[in-house]
Amino acid sequence: MNRKPVLKQAFVSSLPVLMGYTTMGFAAGVLLATNSGVEHPALWAFLTSATSISGALQFMLVDWIQKAQPMLEVALLTVCLNIRYSMYGLSLVERFRGLPIAKKLYLIWSLTDETYALEVENKVPPGGDSILYCLTLAALNHCYWIIGVVSGALAGTALPFPNKGIDFAMTALFLVILTDQCRECRNRVYAAVGLLASVVCALVFGAGRMLIPSIILMLSALIVFRKPLEKLESWRPGGRS
Amino acid sequence: MSGTSTEYLLLLTAVTAVVTFLLRALPFLFFGTGRRPPALVLSIGKVLSPAAIAMLVVYCFACYVRDRAPADHLFGLAEIAAAVVVVALQLWKRNPLLSILAGTAVYMTLVQTVIP
């Protein structure tokens, strides 16, 4: 079977990700170099971006390094940030069944939002090997992300610039994700739950200690009020559902 | 342990990588044989994400309130203005990169010049 059209199509499909990952990664890399205070930003940029391949996490890391956040909290927050990944595999379990373990592990390891979307879309040329397509996509996207973060870290180290306020990039990233999630009506209900729980915890515990109590309060509310919240999903202010 | 020490950074890299990998592997570990996950798990998996992101937005702003006494900084005008720019641009253009870069640029300009 001819591999070339598959490789070519994988590259073409990955081009929008090239744009997105290199620029977003660059921003995260600059932030790591200018705000975390680590000694070899490019090295840590490489190690962290190569192993977790996660956008929001890459920004959060800087905050954790500054505060020397305890590991239990790091683990819990990572779950919160990346819980969505645990849903992605559900639609790929069938396709990845019976693969050699190394290929399967890599495909799972590299499953980001964008890679998942492209793998599900699966624009493999007729008669082409779908697994080869997925592996190529995954490896390309993985490289783009590492290149973005590392070059950002190098730029941030080499060119000192007035960086006061650059930490707003993380706030902006969360605002963007929240805005997109709230386009879907059902998500607004759950965003409101998170908002309420965390405002209460911020007032009670203060900014430095609010995260763990917020997660506990939020999860309890989501489990205990699961049924009523589901009813609220289709509710619209002043209108019929 | 200081946040910038090699031990802390290695631990941080390992913990985030392993937890993220396990989350990605979850469906392959438990539901690889065609079984569907329990309803509660599916539903929490879907609804936790918006709640957690909302929490992180609140966290970011709680840190600003703590670190930049509101009364001394025009009651968070820089933060509010930059946040409005981000949300408005994202609603309008749907381009995450543009929204983040523009919002951050507005914020940096404001805190470096007008509202230190």
Side-chain angles (χ1 to χ4, degrees):
Chain A
M1 184 173 29
N2 196 352
R3 298 158 60 95
K4 220 175 146 194
V6 177
L7 298 178
K8 196 178 153 204
Q9 180 56 47
F11 176 66
V12 172
S13 303
S14 78
L15 284 176
V17 184
L18 171 66
M19 301 296 296
Y21 275 17
T22 46
T23 25
M24 196 75 90
F26 191 87
V30 170
L31 195 64
L32 181 75
T34 58
N35 280 36
S36 70
V38 300
E39 218 173 312
H40 305 288
L43 171 72
W44 294 107
F46 175 77
L47 289 175
T48 51
S49 64
T51 52
S52 38
I53 334 173
S54 166
L57 186 77
Q58 196 72 42
F59 283 86
M60 269 314 281
L61 283 176
V62 179
D63 191 60
W64 294 339
I65 293 170
Q66 284 172 347
K67 294 176 182 148
Q69 194 95 358
M71 280 307 143
L72 181 66
E73 303 189 6
V74 166
L76 271 173
L77 285 166
T78 305
V79 171
C80 282
L81 268 181
N82 287 341
I83 185 87
R84 65 186 188 288
Y85 292 148
S86 66
M87 299 289 124
Y88 291 172
L90 291 173
S91 40
L92 293 166
V93 164
E94 281 311 314
R95 188 156 6 134
F96 295 170
R97 192 190 299 282
L99 284 181
I101 191 74
K103 284 187 183 179
K104 193 165 179 172
L105 282 179
Y106 184 70
L107 285 168
I108 295 173
W109 185 283
S110 57
L111 206 54
T112 63
D113 299 312
E114 291 76 7
T115 305
Y116 165 74
L118 289 173
E119 287 178 359
V120 168
E121 186 191 36
N122 199 18
K123 271 207 227 153
V124 61
D129 178 355
S130 146
I131 294 303
L132 176 68
Y133 178 75
C134 291
L135 280 168
T136 316
L137 261 179
L140 285 171
N141 291 351
H142 194 175
C143 290
Y144 302 155
W145 180 243
I146 297 173
I147 291 169
V149 179
V150 172
S151 56
L154 288 171
T157 318
L159 315 162
F161 59 97
N163 63 359
K164 189 179 174 200
I166 196 174
D167 53 291
F168 194 81
M170 185 173 85
T171 311
L173 174 70
F174 293 142
L175 280 171
V176 162
I177 302 176
L178 188 65
T179 306
D180 281 341
Q181 284 177 335
C182 287
R183 285 180 205 280
E184 257 186 77
C185 252
R186 64 187 302 274
N187 282 343
R188 290 177 204 165
V189 179
Y190 302 106
V193 172
L195 193 84
L196 263 176
S198 52
V199 167
V200 168
C201 292
L203 292 173
V204 175
F205 299 96
R209 293 208 194 87
M210 65 170 279
L211 286 171
I212 300 302
S214 305
I215 294 172
I216 296 171
L217 184 59
M218 207 167 73
L219 262 180
S220 324
L222 291 175
I223 293 172
V224 173
F225 301 115
R226 186 156 76 99
K227 294 289 174 210
L229 285 170
E230 272 170 15
K231 279 191 194 133
L232 271 178
E233 279 177 18
S234 51
W235 180 78
R236 277 177 196 72
R240 291 172 302 272
S241 60
Chain B
M1 191 163 30
S2 133
T4 52
S5 67
T6 308
E7 299 84 50
Y8 182 85
L9 290 169
L10 277 177
L11 207 59
L12 181 68
T13 308
V15 168
T16 50
V18 169
V19 172
T20 306
F21 176 75
L22 284 178
L23 286 172
R24 286 172 170 143
L26 226 52
F28 298 92
L29 287 173
F30 291 109
F31 312 112
T33 47
R35 280 187 300 142
R36 292 296 293 173
L40 181 67
V41 174
L42 268 184
S43 126
I44 292 301
K46 276 185 199 138
V47 304
L48 183 57
S49 200
I53 298 294
M55 171 189 82
L56 289 167
V57 169
V58 172
Y59 169 66
C60 288
F61 282 92
C63 289
Y64 287 124
V65 172
R66 181 195 56 191
D67 301 337
R68 293 168 49 80
D72 299 342
H73 296 100
L74 298 180
F75 298 96
L77 186 65
E79 287 79 10
I80 294 167
V84 169
V85 168
V86 172
V87 173
L89 265 179
Q90 185 58 21
L91 284 173
W92 179 35
K93 291 285 184 190
R94 295 185 183 228
N95 181 340
L97 213 58
L98 175 73
S99 315
I100 292 169
L101 290 182
T104 309
V106 166
Y107 187 71
M108 289 175 75
T109 313
L110 285 176
V111 298
Q112 288 182 21
T113 57
V114 197
I115 315 169

